[in-house]
Amino acid sequence: MTDSRDSMADHLHEARPGADGSAETALTGEAGRAVAAGPIGRAGRAGRAVASGWCPDAVDVVAVGRTGRAAVAADGESRHVLLSRARDELWQAVDARDEPTAAQAVFDLLDSGLAAEDVLLEVIAPVQHRVGVEWAAGRITVAQEHAATAVHDRIIAAMAHRPGSRSREPGATGMSVTVACVEGEWHALPARILAETLRLRGHAVDFLGAQVPTPHLIAHLHRTAPDVVALSSSLPTRLPTAHAAITAVQATGVPVLAGGAAFAPDGRYARRLGADAWAAEAREAAEVLGRGLSRPHVDAARPVVEDLPHLIDQEYTMVSRGKRQLVKNTLAGLERRLPAMRSYGEAERERTAEDVAHIVDFLAAALYIDDVRLFTGFLDWTGDILEARGVSARVLLPGLDLLQVDLKDFPRALDLLGQGAAVLHGRDPFPTISGTGAGA
């Protein structure tokens, strides 16, 4: 971080995920901002994040030639090869922003007799995963990621109204399910895939889409009285909001099924926040609903510290409320340490401020949930993104140092920042995202 080429303004901002399209997927969801959803493993973490929210684990994409779907099915070609070819064709189409060809590839699959659920979870979801991998590796732009996600979203909507779309399990006993993204969560594709999967399984689904403010969600539940609310979130920074939504929904007597990258790959944050159930992907969610969920008592509303007693120390509250001042102080400190920043224009300063704010947001979320892995995983993932673009992960260290000075009276925050710095110091200097360099 010694000149404008090594600044967070030029690199971390470039690597910051886009507005809609991955992910988890930390961990979910669509490519882009959902990729930053949170900490996951090491190699290829960005791609896995895309598929982690209500979507199945992605499978390898095998490039094979193009052929008619009906003919493939008639000739008895293996299902594996059929799906591999379909994934490759869909990827080529969305990469070229060729929506008609992408749609035709999907509709040919449906016409060949493949169940719509399989198309959703074994073709579209893995291709969306690949979108996230390509973005994380710097091979496509945020705009391209957005375009690919939009194509997938429109195709899924069209599938829902095609007479040929059918489930493996027609006639399943259905429940009424409201599917919604938590307030501030704009990554709706994983939730849409879940909603369509549940519809195919015979459930009556009320899909509310992205960014549903909790008061509006509760008002809607009072009017519609569903059996279950499926709450989706890709970004761990939305965990405090998700917690408020979970307890508010339960207070209406409706159980909450949580999913998405924000809740961690093993669902530990969903359990910590008191959700009634958690599912890693759409088929698992359908299985959970099949087993049934007990309705919570209408007096289920509880204070936050009942689930998270560590919050009594007020560190989360102080850091989240003091975010603006923390960002301001960190920017001033960076200017003192890094003379090149003094020549930044307004746009560069604004972008750098946004990047520092992003770090503070993840720090606050880790304080809320009391799990260092949330913060160190985010920094490690960010390091991968930077190094895939030829920038050392240690560009983040001066900002962490300055935050430690400002938060010297907050022991949990200091511990998180210290462990985060240790992770950056201890990183392998090579990128770990598949296809990005020698360390791939």
Side-chain angles (χ1 to χ4, degrees):
M1 196 166 174
T2 56
D3 58 37
S4 61
R5 290 178 301 164
D6 286 341
S7 71
M8 285 191 290
D10 288 335
H11 296 292
L12 180 55
H13 184 86
E14 174 192 88
R16 183 186 296 113
D20 198 7
S22 149
E24 299 89 290
T25 143
L27 294 178
T28 169
E30 302 102 299
R33 190 165 308 215
V35 177
I40 41 188
R42 282 283 296 163
R45 65 167 49 81
R48 285 202 304 277
V50 179
S52 64
W54 300 119
C55 303
D57 290 338
V59 295
D60 291 339
V61 178
V62 180
V64 290
R66 185 176 178 82
T67 189
R69 293 289 190 276
V72 169
D75 292 341
E77 189 170 9
S78 74
R79 184 174 183 276
H80 172 76
V81 174
L82 173 65
L83 292 173
S84 294
R85 178 179 296 117
R87 288 188 288 267
D88 187 60
E89 291 178 10
L90 181 59
W91 160 251
Q92 291 178 20
V94 298
D95 184 43
R97 300 174 302 287
D98 184 352
E99 185 171 339
T101 299
Q104 192 59 54
V106 169
F107 298 156
D108 283 350
L109 278 175
L110 296 172
D111 291 342
S112 76
L114 192 66
E117 179 180 306
D118 294 340
V119 175
L120 279 171
L121 302 183
E122 298 182 47
V123 179
I124 294 176
V127 172
Q128 185 64 35
H129 166 104
R130 185 172 177 180
V131 171
V133 171
E134 296 298 304
W135 170 83
R139 291 189 288 263
I140 66 173
T141 66
V142 169
Q144 289 172 295
E145 167 261 305
H146 284 190
T149 300
V151 169
H152 281 152
D153 188 67
R154 289 190 289 271
I155 289 174
I156 292 170
M159 284 176 60
H161 300 288
R162 267 182 73 87
S165 297
R166 62 182 184 272
S167 170
R168 285 179 175 176
E169 302 180 10
T173 301
M175 303 175 68
S176 59
V177 185
T178 296
V179 178
C181 296
V182 301
E183 185 171 355
E185 179 58 74
W186 291 97
H187 308 98
L189 193 62
R192 176 180 281 278
I193 289 174
L194 171 70
E196 297 308 321
T197 301
L198 295 181
R199 282 195 181 109
L200 291 167
R201 294 289 187 104
H203 299 287
V205 179
D206 190 10
F207 177 58
L208 305 186
Q211 214 292 96
V212 182
T214 299
H216 296 280
L217 173 61
I218 300 307
H220 186 76
L221 299 183
H222 283 304
R223 289 193 297 270
T224 59
D227 295 316
V228 177
V229 168
L231 200 62
S232 180
S233 183
S234 295
L235 289 169
T237 53
R238 302 291 177 246
L239 285 173
T241 304
H243 194 191
I246 289 168
T247 57
V249 170
Q250 290 170 334
T252 70
V254 179
V256 175
L257 170 62
F263 297 104
D266 60 0
R268 59 184 177 269
Y269 301 150
R271 292 186 290 274
R272 193 169 299 182
L273 299 182
D276 297 280
W278 169 81
E281 45 85 22
R283 286 187 174 124
E284 184 179 336
E287 291 169 4
V288 170
L289 293 183
R291 294 192 294 268
L293 289 174
S294 299
R295 284 187 171 269
H297 294 294
V298 291
D299 60 354
R302 57 194 181 276
V304 168
V305 293
E306 187 173 315
D307 290 327
L308 305 172
H310 57 271
L311 292 180
I312 199 169
D313 67 11
Q314 296 292 300
E315 287 202 30
Y316 162 75
T317 302
M318 298 299 288
V319 169
S320 58
R321 289 181 179 175
K323 172 183 169 181
R324 180 175 298 181
Q325 190 62 46
L326 285 171
V327 172
K328 181 179 179 180
N329 292 350
T330 301
L331 286 176
L334 289 173
E335 285 191 357
R336 291 192 298 271
R337 291 191 180 196
L338 307 171
M341 277 193 62
R342 297 169 193 165
S343 63
Y344 278 8
E346 183 177 349
E348 289 176 306
R349 287 184 55 82
E350 182 177 342
R351 292 170 66 185
T352 304
E354 290 173 355
D355 295 326
V356 174
H358 203 46
I359 293 172
V360 175
D361 284 339
F362 271 86
L363 175 65
L367 288 169
Y368 189 88
I369 209 71
D370 197 31
D371 192 334
V372 66
R373 292 171 292 182
L374 193 155
F375 187 60
T376 57
F378 160 69
L379 291 174
D380 202 19
W381 170 85
T382 303
D384 280 355
I385 300 298
L386 291 170
E387 288 171 359
R389 289 154 173 78
V391 182
S392 170
R394 295 191 178 190
V395 69
L396 302 171
L397 287 169
L400 299 187
D401 291 343
L402 291 164
L403 287 169
Q404 284 181 303
V405 172
D406 260 10
L407 297 172
K408 62 182 182 298
D409 296 324
F410 297 82
R412 284 203 298 129
L414 280 179
D415 180 59
L416 291 172
L417 290 164
Q419 292 197 54
V423 164
L424 294 176
H425 279 295
R427 283 178 53 86
D428 186 309
F430 296 104
T432 59
I433 297 171
S434 178
T436 58

